[in-house]
């Protein structure tokens, strides 16, 4: 395998634009790539622009009639069919929507192919992670489900075990739905509790069906969960599952909307804890996956200046084995770019000034603690189905 990570990037992905005032502002992608370049990380990776996912690839997950509906809405946005989730408040139709959505999907699929075929051990597509799109409908700012498409392509190539870890604040419902009955794919989602956040799914009792029973794992975190609880939950669930499942490829989704500044959710996680989970995913890939095969994706994140670019730049640095020092001062050139694009002042350092820590689950739990109750509910629901102790 190549010693250099691949960063999937095409400037055209910034055309994924639902319009002014929509939370999914594509400036977050441009600013992330700008910060990657400002730290010289583009020289530490192979920057690759893949082609759009074609219809045959899209149909690995999405229904043919849905792809046709996206194409039609892309050509005539005002005629978008809301029966397919298109032309809604969350997913407004726009000219070129099919092409740019397929382009983002193509980056994730190409990342998966590169990792599996040995061109690289790690690949990042921070424009991806659009995990809410369903086989027959757009949902939650997501048109095509690039994580599910990447996983489906891996299965098509003969991969027998893929693990998908989703730490976005929202439940990874579309990926779970795509592989609900497939034992070859382990989906694990840590997210804010469905009582308080879209898409109102991701209960611990959602564990898969048929041959896939036990292949879906959900940790529903109480609103207000901060660094210590978030990290405790991650480490109480994910490493044990990966050690047991022994995936041949690890796919992770790193939505930055768990952050305490995010305007659309209610967790209280710092940039420093997000970085810690990225490092853990990297370590788990090397520990449990032959060749360390790791595909890392972006996702949500609506604090588009202060949080998203820093978070995903850390992700790129970690995947490149060239991590950015959290105490690093952000180059003035990037802060100038932020002001030019947004008329906002950018952050000064690559840290929120936190030193995250957590208490390991193995030390015991408190049955009166809401976070521990959430973890215990997950372990009780899913672990026995996999032959693991709760």
């Amino acid at each position: 395998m190549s010693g250099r990570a691949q960063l999937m990037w095409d400037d055209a992905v910034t055309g994924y634009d639902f319009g002014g005032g929509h939370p999914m502002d594509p400036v977050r992608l441009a600013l992330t790539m700008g910060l990657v370049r400002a730290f010289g990380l583009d020289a530490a990776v192979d920057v690759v622009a893949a082609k759009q996912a074609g219809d045959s690839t899209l149909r690995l997950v999405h229904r043919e009639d849905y792809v046709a509906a996206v194409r039609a809405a892309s050509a005539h946005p005002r005629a978008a069919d809301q029966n397919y989730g298109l032309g809604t408040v969350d997913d407004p139709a726009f000219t070129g929507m099919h092409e740019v959505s397929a382009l983002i999907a193509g980056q994730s699929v190409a990342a998966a192919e590169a990792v599996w075929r040995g061109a690289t051990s790690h690949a990042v597509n921070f424009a991806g992670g659009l995990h809410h799109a369903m086989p027959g409908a757009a949902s939650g700012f997501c048109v095509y489900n690039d994580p599910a498409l990447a996983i489906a392509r891996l299965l098509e190539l003969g991969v027998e075990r893929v693990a998908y870890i989703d730490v976005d604040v929202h439940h990874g419902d579309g990926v779970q739905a795509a592989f609900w009955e497939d034992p070859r794919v382990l989906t694990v989602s840590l997210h804010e509790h469905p009582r308080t956040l879209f898409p109102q799914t991701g209960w611990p009792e959602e564990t898969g069906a048929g041959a896939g029973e036990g292949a879906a794992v959900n940790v529903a975190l109480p609103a207000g969960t901060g660094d210590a609880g978030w990290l405790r939950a991650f480490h109480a669930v994910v490493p044990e599952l990966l050690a047991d499942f022994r995936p041949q490829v690890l796919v992770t989704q790193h939505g930055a909307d768990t952050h305490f500044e995010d305007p659309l959710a209610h967790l209280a996680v710092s940039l420093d804890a997000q970085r810690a989970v990225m490092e853990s995913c990297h370590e788990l890939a090397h520990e449990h996956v032959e060749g360390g095969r790791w595909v890392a994706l972006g996702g949500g994140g609506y604090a588009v200046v202060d949080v998203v670019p820093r978070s995903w730049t850390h992700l790129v640095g970690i995947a490149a084995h060239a991590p950015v020092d959290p105490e690093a001062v952000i180059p003035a050139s990037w802060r100038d770019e932020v002001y030019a694009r947004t008329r906002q002042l950018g952050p000064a350092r690559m840290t929120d000034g936190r030193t995250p820590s957590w208490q390991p689950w193995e030390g015991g739990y408190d049955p009166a603690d809401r976070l521990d109750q959430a973890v215990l509910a997950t372990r009780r629901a899913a672990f026995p189905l996999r032959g693991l102790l709760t």
Side-chain angles (χ1 to χ4, degrees):
M1 288 188 180
S2 165
R4 289 167 61 89
Q6 285 193 5
L7 174 59
M8 315 305 298
W9 177 256
D10 185 320
D11 287 343
V13 299
T14 60
Y16 192 81
D17 187 353
F18 290 115
H22 193 283
M24 185 75 98
D25 188 337
V27 75
R28 69 200 195 119
L29 302 179
L31 290 178
T32 300
M33 193 61 194
L35 191 55
V36 165
R37 290 174 174 140
F39 276 109
L41 291 173
D42 55 326
V45 297
D46 293 328
V47 180
V48 178
K51 296 179 180 178
Q52 294 178 19
D55 282 9
S56 61
T57 298
L58 294 173
R59 288 199 297 268
L60 292 174
V61 169
H62 294 290
R63 297 198 320 249
E64 186 173 0
D65 61 311
Y66 173 62
V67 176
V70 175
R71 280 187 183 279
S74 186
H76 304 286
R78 291 186 179 180
D81 189 342
Q82 292 196 7
N83 291 320
Y84 291 101
L86 303 167
T88 63
V89 172
D90 275 1
D91 297 278
F94 59 91
T95 301
M97 180 172 64
H98 165 77
E99 288 76 13
V100 70
S101 300
L103 181 64
I104 290 172
Q107 308 309 306
S108 293
V109 170
E113 291 174 344
V115 164
W116 179 242
R117 289 172 171 161
T120 185
S121 56
H122 306 333
V124 178
N125 176 26
F126 57 74
L130 305 178
H131 59 170
H132 293 308
M134 292 293 175
S139 177
F141 315 160
C142 305
V143 177
Y144 292 137
N145 194 318
D146 65 282
L149 288 163
I151 293 168
R153 177 59 175 148
L154 289 169
L155 299 178
E156 187 179 49
L157 291 172
V159 180
E160 296 174 349
R161 294 180 309 281
V162 181
Y164 172 72
I165 310 300
D166 189 319
V167 297
D168 193 287
V169 79
H170 302 92
H171 177 226
D173 57 340
V175 183
Q176 176 179 285
F179 305 105
W180 184 244
E181 299 184 7
D182 196 332
R184 298 173 296 174
V185 182
L186 173 68
T187 63
V188 185
S189 179
L190 290 87
H191 47 265
E192 186 179 327
H193 201 286
R195 284 197 193 97
T196 54
L197 195 66
F198 174 90
Q200 282 79 51
T201 58
W203 298 79
E205 295 77 19
E206 296 173 31
T207 55
E213 186 178 18
V217 180
N218 288 289
V219 186
L221 300 168
T225 297
D227 289 0
W230 194 63
L231 294 169
R232 176 171 167 82
F234 179 91
H235 288 281
V237 172
V238 174
E240 193 171 346
L241 290 170
L242 292 183
D244 172 69
F245 188 62
R246 297 178 297 109
Q248 293 169 289
V249 181
L250 176 63
V251 180
T252 58
Q253 196 269 22
H254 297 272
D257 43 10
T258 52
H259 196 272
F260 55 76
E261 287 186 13
D262 197 89
L264 299 190
H266 318 98
L267 296 190
V269 174
S270 71
L271 177 74
D272 303 287
Q274 291 178 346
R275 184 181 186 277
V277 159
M278 294 167 185
E279 289 182 322
S280 293
C281 288
H282 182 211
E283 293 165 3
L284 290 165
H286 281 292
E287 184 175 353
H288 297 300
V289 185
E290 183 179 354
R293 298 186 190 97
W294 180 33
V295 177
L297 307 173
Y302 309 101
V304 299
V305 170
D306 285 346
V307 178
V308 174
R310 292 189 297 161
S311 186
W312 292 346
T313 297
H314 277 306
L315 180 63
V316 173
I318 289 164
H321 298 111
V324 178
D325 184 348
E327 294 296 332
V329 174
I330 292 175
S333 60
W334 183 80
R335 300 184 73 204
D336 290 343
E337 180 186 356
V338 167
Y339 189 77
R341 288 181 179 271
T342 70
R343 291 298 184 263
Q344 297 181 43
L345 298 177
R349 293 182 182 271
M350 291 295 286
T351 177
D352 285 337
R354 308 287 177 86
T355 305
S357 62
W358 72 96
Q359 293 297 319
W361 187 256
E362 294 76 14
Y365 62 87
D366 179 357
D369 181 81
R370 290 197 308 153
L371 185 282
D372 284 5
Q373 289 170 359
V375 171
L376 191 59
T378 297
R379 292 180 64 99
R380 284 176 172 166
F383 277 42
L385 297 173
R386 306 202 61 81
L388 300 173
L389 299 175
T390 59

